[in-house]
């Protein structure tokens, strides 16, 4: 039962004592007349509820909710009434109850969990977060504040925190800027940004989440607000970090570390992880605006197979449709799509097609008619339909914030699914409208019953579109896993889709931007991400294309895509020399597939990011917080893509430990820089000592060949390291019923010889019987190898490499 508001005795703070803060805090909306900001006064009372407390200054209220021992949510109600407790990013099922206490002292209240103390100062309502040994991790610079918004009668809401002099900031989604956001000001308003530039902002996605690191410790702030939001990372004032919004509620989650990895895991625990994609979705994909007619699609597919370049998917961009009408076929270009898709499928290709949100205004078009009859399209404030021009000409747009509309939208995929389409690509869903950019602010949205204007719904429009797509496909494919990709996103979109970074450019600078964006997306919850390899607009030369392809191998999503007015962009389009290298690297992706799949599993099950910036690996070393070009792909592989033309060598920093250069197995000491040669057919790729890296034989597409055995590359260590390898059916949801296998390996070299142990979890058993184990980096050739106490022979393969065969259920191997 709720307790009554309890009056408490504190010295009231005069308004003037807070004034000092006002001119330190910037007014972000520069063209607005100055409106007085209101700050919280002193804490006068509090109220307990089952998940936390509501504190009041007599008029405004602040709710502090304990989400987990490490996550605390703070909400502000400027006039005492909180807005509806609803979030597209955080499903209620991700919020749990934990035990917590309230302690009151003369100066403050302290909400305590087992890990975090949230202090609310009585005198001025400043909030801070400390760990249990009293280290202040994050603290208000001024109390939360707001101003009346003359445009629509709501509030602009602000939070300003202290920034320490050594503090650096990561996260924030797809921003095309340096990894460390310190000194930057960013905004979130999903925007169609064709050929964007370095530092251009905003772009396509809204991820109002950042990680701060100071004195070696990390924490996160997730400002769950879908209106246009802004972040200032010590840009305007070197000692302050602010975030604010043009509407909605000041609601944020404080996420405790101390490691960046913990913060990202915990951010995933509230916003969700990506479901496990079908195995084919992590193969190589070939895309173009557009492959048509059918003969061209078939020809591209044929060339892949003739040239023995692996490929799992071919994309059809907008021209496959009849006059750009979604869910239709242009029968002139594709007279028998079902037959074409099934022929492609028997050659190992999945077909992925584009679906945009703009529905052509055409009374003879069934999708438009159904949408009209059921009032599924968005309307303006005066009740007229929202109309705008996109590819099909005049369009109306479904209101995806209405569950009924999402259900309908999901069902529209039926025909294409019956035709055999395996994956769907949702584009232009910022939403993009030619000429005016996006919808006008007065467009109305249902917003799950919490109705609002486009100001509130804009940033989640694309997310709700791809959610409708995903949910519909899940029903249509039944137990098969859908594959979806979206351009616009809001926090939590990972529950429904992969993403790509939109219309980039074929320049070396953009290759670098891509490496920054994918690292950033990965630590921002959107791990399944990729760039248009080669650059969407403009023309790469062979070298740029190939270097980008190399980075593509280590991009979670690997797809070549290019704009309609560019020259051919297939792996063979730049001549034989480049084709050879491109093939070698696409093959590398296929060899690494069981490792990559295991990394996807880690992200799904444990919320670990797929790409891990060096800062995340060694956050306690200040200079590593500034490095941008080395990153890990999962736990075992460190890469540093080549980002300059003609580059012959590169200085690469390797984190502490011992590393093996992938292409020749040379060993390198970690915790230092090395000069690494970068011939065109290699790139800096290093494997951590003690790793077990599973390897598939090269296949032309996933599942092409039955595995006779699984190759395991075991890297020498003089310490002790663990690895695991995940496997399942590859494209069903059976893993949700534990039909998978997770094999944990420990490689222990601490006693001067190598002991490899295995522990298997899960109910899935693979068809092969044996592992072929290759030892990498052994100082000398082993004199004896035993499996579970029985001696086994060393063998030589056709390339004269030594290996040995063990049963896949082995428990212990000793190599001496
Ligand atoms: C947008 C997309 C691009 C696509 C094009 C045509 O520009 O970002 O990937 O090829 O539209 O559909």
């Amino acid at each position: 039962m709720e307790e009554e508001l309890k009056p408490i005795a504190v010295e009231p703070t005069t308004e003037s004592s807070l004034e000092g803060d006002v001119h330190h805090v910037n007014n972000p909306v520069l063209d607005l007349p100055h409106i007085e900001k209101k700050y919280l006064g002193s804490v006068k009372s509090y109220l307990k509820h089952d998940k936390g407390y509501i504190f009041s200054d007599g008029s405004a209220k602040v709710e502090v909710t304990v989400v987990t021992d490490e996550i605390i949510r703070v909400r502000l109600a400027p006039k005492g009434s909180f807005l509806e407790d609803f979030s597209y990013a955080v499903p209620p099922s991700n919020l749990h109850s934990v035990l917590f206490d309230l302690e009151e002292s003369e100066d403050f209240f302290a909400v305590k969990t087992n890990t975090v103390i949230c202090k609310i100062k009585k005198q001025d309502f400043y909030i801070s977060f400390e760990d249990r040994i009293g280290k202040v991790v994050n603290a208000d610079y001024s109390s939360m504040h707001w101003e009346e918004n003359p445009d629509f009668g709501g509030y602009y809401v602000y939070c300003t925190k202290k920034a320490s002099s050594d503090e650096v900031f990561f996260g924030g989604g797809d921003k095309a800027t340096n990894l460390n956001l310190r000194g930057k000001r960013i905004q979130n308003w999903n925007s169609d940004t064709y050929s964007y530039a370095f530092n251009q902002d905003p772009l396509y996605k809204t991820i109002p989440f950042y990680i701060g690191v100071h004195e070696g410790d990390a924490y996160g702030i997730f400002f769950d607000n879908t209106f246009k939001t802004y972040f200032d990372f010590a840009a305007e004032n070197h000692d302050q970090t602010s975030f604010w919004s043009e509407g909605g509620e000041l609601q944020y989650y404080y996420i405790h570390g101390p490691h960046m990895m913990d913060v990202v895991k915990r951010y995933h625990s509230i916003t969700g992880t990506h479901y496990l994609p079908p195995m084919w979705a992590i193969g190589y994909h070939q895309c173009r605006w557009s492959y048509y007619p059918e003969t061209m699609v078939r020809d591209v597919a044929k060339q892949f197979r003739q040239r023995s370049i692996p490929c799992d998917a071919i994309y059809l961009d907008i021209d496959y449709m009849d006059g750009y009408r979604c869910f239709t076929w242009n029968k002139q270009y594709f007279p028998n799509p079902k037959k074409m898709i099934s022929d492609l499928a028997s050659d190992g290709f999945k077909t992925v097609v584009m679906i945009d949100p703009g529905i052509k205004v055409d009374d003879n078009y069934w999708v438009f008619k159904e949408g009209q009859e059921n009032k599924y399209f968005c309307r303006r404030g005066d009740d007229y339909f929202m109309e705008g021009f996109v590819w099909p000409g005049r369009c109306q747009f479904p209101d995806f914030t209405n569950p009924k509309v999402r259900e309908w939208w999901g069902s529209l995929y039926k025909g294409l699914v019956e035709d055999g389409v395996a994956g769907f690509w949702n584009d232009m869903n910022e939403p993009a409208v030619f000429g005016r950019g996006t919808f006008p602010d007065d467009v109305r949205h249902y917003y799950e019953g919490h109705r609002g204007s486009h100001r509130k719904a804009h940033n989640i429009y694309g997310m709700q579109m791809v959610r409708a797509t995903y949910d519909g496909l899940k029903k249509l494919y039944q137990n098969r896993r859908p594959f979806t990709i979206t351009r616009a996103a809001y926090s939590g979109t990972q529950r429904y889709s992969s993403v790509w970074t939109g219309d980039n450019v074929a320049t070396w600078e953009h290759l670098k931007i891509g490496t920054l964006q994918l690292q950033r997306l990965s630590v921002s919850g959107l791990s399944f991400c990729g760039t248009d390899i080669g650059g969407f607009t403009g023309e790469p030369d062979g070298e740029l294309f190939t270097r980008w392809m190399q980075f593509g191998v280590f991009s979670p999503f690997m797809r070549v895509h290019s704009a309609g007015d560019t020259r051919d962009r297939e792996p063979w389009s730049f001549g034989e020399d480049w084709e050879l290298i491109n093939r070698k690297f696409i093959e590398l992706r296929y060899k690494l597939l069981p490792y990559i799949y295991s990394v996807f599993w880690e992200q799904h099950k444990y919320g670990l990011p797929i790409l891990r910036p060096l800062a995340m690996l060694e956050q306690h070393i200040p200079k590593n917080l500034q490095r941008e070009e080395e990153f890990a792909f999962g736990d075992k592989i460190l890469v540093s893509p080549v980002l300059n033309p003609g580059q012959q060598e590169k200085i690469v920093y390797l984190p502490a430990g011992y590393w093996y250069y992938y292409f020749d197995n040379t060993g390198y000491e970690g915790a230092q820089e090395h000069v690494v040669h970068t011939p065109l057919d290699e790139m800096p790729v290093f494997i951590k000592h003690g790793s077990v890296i599973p390897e598939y034989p090269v296949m032309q597409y996933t599942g092409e060949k039955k595995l006779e055995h699984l190759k395991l590359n075991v890297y020498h260590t003089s310490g002790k390291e663990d690895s695991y390898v995940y496997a399942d059916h590859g494209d069903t949801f059976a893993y949700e019923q534990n039909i998978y296998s997770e094999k944990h390996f420990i490689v222990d070299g601490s006693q001067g010889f190598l002991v490899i142990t295995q522990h298997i979890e899960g109910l899935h058993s693979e068809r092969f019987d044996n592992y072929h184990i290759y030892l990498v980096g052994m100082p000398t050739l082993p004199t004896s190898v035993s499996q579970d106490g029985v001696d086994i022979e060393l063998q030589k393969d056709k390339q004269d490499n030594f290996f040995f065969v063990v049963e896949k259920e082995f428990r212990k191997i000793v190599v001496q």
Side-chain angles (χ1 to χ4, degrees), residues 5 15 18 37-47 53-64 74-82 120 122 124-125 127 143-148 155 157-158 249-250:
L5 276 175
E15 280 297 320
L18 291 167
K37 287 197 176 73
K38 301 217 169 75
Y39 287 74
L40 287 163
S42 55
V43 185
K44 297 216 167 59
S45 59
Y46 75 92
L47 175 81
Y53 296 89
I54 293 175
F55 300 91
S56 172
D57 68 356
S59 120
K61 286 183 186 158
V62 173
E63 184 192 53
V64 175
V74 176
R75 297 167 81 199
L76 165 73
K79 292 214 168 135
S81 6
F82 290 97
I120 301 104
K122 288 180 177 173
D124 49 21
F125 234 122
I127 295 179
S143 67
M144 293 190 281
H145 44 291
W146 63 93
E147 60 188 22
E148 302 270 350
Y155 304 101
V157 288
Y158 301 80
E249 195 167 67
L250 178 41

Side-chain angles (χ1 to χ4, degrees), residues 343-411:
D343 289 349
L344 288 172
S346 50
D347 222 357
F349 290 98
K350 301 282 189 292
T351 304
V352 179
V353 305
M354 165 73 88
I355 290 289
D356 287 332
I359 297 299
K360 188 176 177 71
V361 174
D362 171 1
D363 290 333
N364 296 316
Y365 169 34
W366 57 283
V367 178
F368 178 69
K369 279 202 312 203
E370 280 183 27
Q372 273 281 312
E373 278 159 24
N374 294 297
K375 302 192 165 45
Y376 287 159
F377 296 123
C378 295
R379 294 171 193 234
R380 305 284 301 262
D382 56 8
D383 224 25
Y384 282 97
F385 286 102
M386 155 64 210
E387 292 198 343
F389 281 76
V390 210
W391 307 119
R394 209 175 120 211
C395 287
Q396 294 189 8
F397 302 83
D399 181 9
F400 297 111
T401 67
N402 181 338
K404 271 198 204 147
V405 178
R406 287 201 299 272
E407 175 103 29
W408 167 69
W409 185 260
S411 72

Side-chain angles (χ1 to χ4, degrees), residues 192 194 204 289 317-318 354 356 391 425 427-428 487 500 502-503 532 536 559 561-562:
D192 175 13
Y194 176 86
Y204 303 92
W289 176 14
D317 203 327
I318 44 175
M354 165 73 88
D356 287 332
W391 307 119
W425 175 21
D427 186 22
M428 306 293 275
R487 196 171 70 175
W500 93 105
D503 298 342
D532 283 351
F536 179 71
R559 181 185 75 164
H561 181 42
S562 51

Side-chain angles (χ1 to χ4, degrees), residues 210-228:
Y210 71 87
I211 303 166
V213 187
H214 62 98
E215 290 174 10
D217 287 347
Y219 66 91
I221 297 286
F222 172 39
F223 180 23
D224 188 8
N225 181 307
T226 62
F227 284 77
K228 186 181 280 184

Side-chain angles (χ1 to χ4, degrees), residues 38-216:
K38 301 217 169 75
Y39 287 74
L40 287 163
S42 55
V43 185
K44 297 216 167 59
S45 59
Y46 75 92
L47 175 81
K48 182 177 190 309
H49 63 60
D50 57 348
K51 291 192 171 142
Y53 296 89
I54 293 175
F55 300 91
S56 172
D57 68 356
S59 120
K61 286 183 186 158
V62 173
E63 184 192 53
V64 175
T65 314
V66 177
V67 177
T68 68
D69 276 336
E70 296 86 11
I71 305 176
I72 303 233
R73 184 177 79 166
V74 176
R75 297 167 81 199
L76 165 73
K79 292 214 168 135
S81 6
F82 290 97
L83 297 181
E84 64 278 3
D85 192 358
F86 169 76
S87 164
Y88 277 117
V90 183
S93 56
N94 287 356
L95 302 178
H96 308 285
S97 302
V98 289
L99 293 176
F100 54 88
D101 297 322
L102 181 75
E103 213 177 83
E104 185 177 351
S105 74
E106 205 178 313
D107 299 331
F108 56 78
F109 289 102
V111 179
K112 292 185 162 177
T113 76
N114 285 317
T115 323
V116 180
I117 304 167
C118 171
K119 278 192 181 159
I120 301 104
K121 257 171 81 191
K122 288 180 177 173
Q123 191 194 20
D124 49 21
F125 234 122
Y126 284 21
I127 295 179
S128 62
F129 299 90
E130 298 179 4
D131 63 17
R132 292 292 302 216
I133 48 170
K135 179 175 175 189
V136 179
V137 183
N138 178 265
D140 279 353
Y141 181 90
S142 56
S143 67
M144 293 190 281
H145 44 291
W146 63 93
E147 60 188 22
E148 302 270 350
N149 178 333
D151 284 354
F152 71 109
Y155 304 101
Y156 291 148
V157 288
Y158 301 80
C159 188
T160 300
K161 305 217 159 249
K162 286 182 187 158
S164 21
S165 55
D166 69 327
E167 196 157 350
V168 292
F169 302 94
F170 300 97
D174 61 350
K175 306 301 178 195
T177 190
N178 302 95
L179 279 189
N180 173 10
L181 294 166
R182 190 179 178 103
K184 314 253 175 200
R185 180 177 269 219
I186 59 174
Q187 60 172 294
N188 293 308
W189 184 250
N190 292 356
S191 305
D192 175 13
T193 41
Y194 176 86
S195 287
Y196 53 93
F198 185 68
N199 273 336
Q200 184 173 327
D201 183 48
L203 298 181
Y204 303 92
K205 298 170 185 68
T206 291
I207 310 294
F209 162 64
Y210 71 87
I211 303 166
V213 187
H214 62 98
E215 290 174 10

Side-chain angles (χ1 to χ4, degrees), residues 277-289 291 296-305 309-317 340-341 343-354 420-425 477 480 482-485 498 528 533 549 557-562 569-572 586 589-590 593 699-703:
M279 184 79 144
W280 66 265
I282 59 173
Y284 172 77
H285 294 191
Q286 182 68 37
C287 186
R288 169 119 186 114
W289 176 14
Y291 287 130
M296 185 191 261
V297 181
R298 287 179 181 274
D299 180 59
V300 172
K302 198 163 104 200
Q303 294 221 45
F304 271 99
R305 296 299 178 246
I309 299 179
C311 180
D312 259 283
I314 294 209
Y315 284 58
L316 303 181
D317 203 327
M340 178 191 78
I341 293 173
D343 289 349
L344 288 172
S346 50
D347 222 357
F349 290 98
K350 301 282 189 292
T351 304
V352 179
V353 305
M354 165 73 88
V421 175
F424 291 90
W425 175 21
Y477 289 132
R480 261 171 54 224
F483 167 70
T484 49
I485 177 158
S498 63
F528 195 7
I533 294 173
M549 187 71 93
F557 175 62
M558 185 184 186
R559 181 185 75 164
V560 166
H561 181 42
S562 51
R569 199 72 75 74
E570 287 80 38
W572 53 85
I586 297 173
R589 175 83 176 192
Y590 279 77
L593 274 181
M699 300 196 198
Q700 296 307 299
Y701 53 93
T702 53

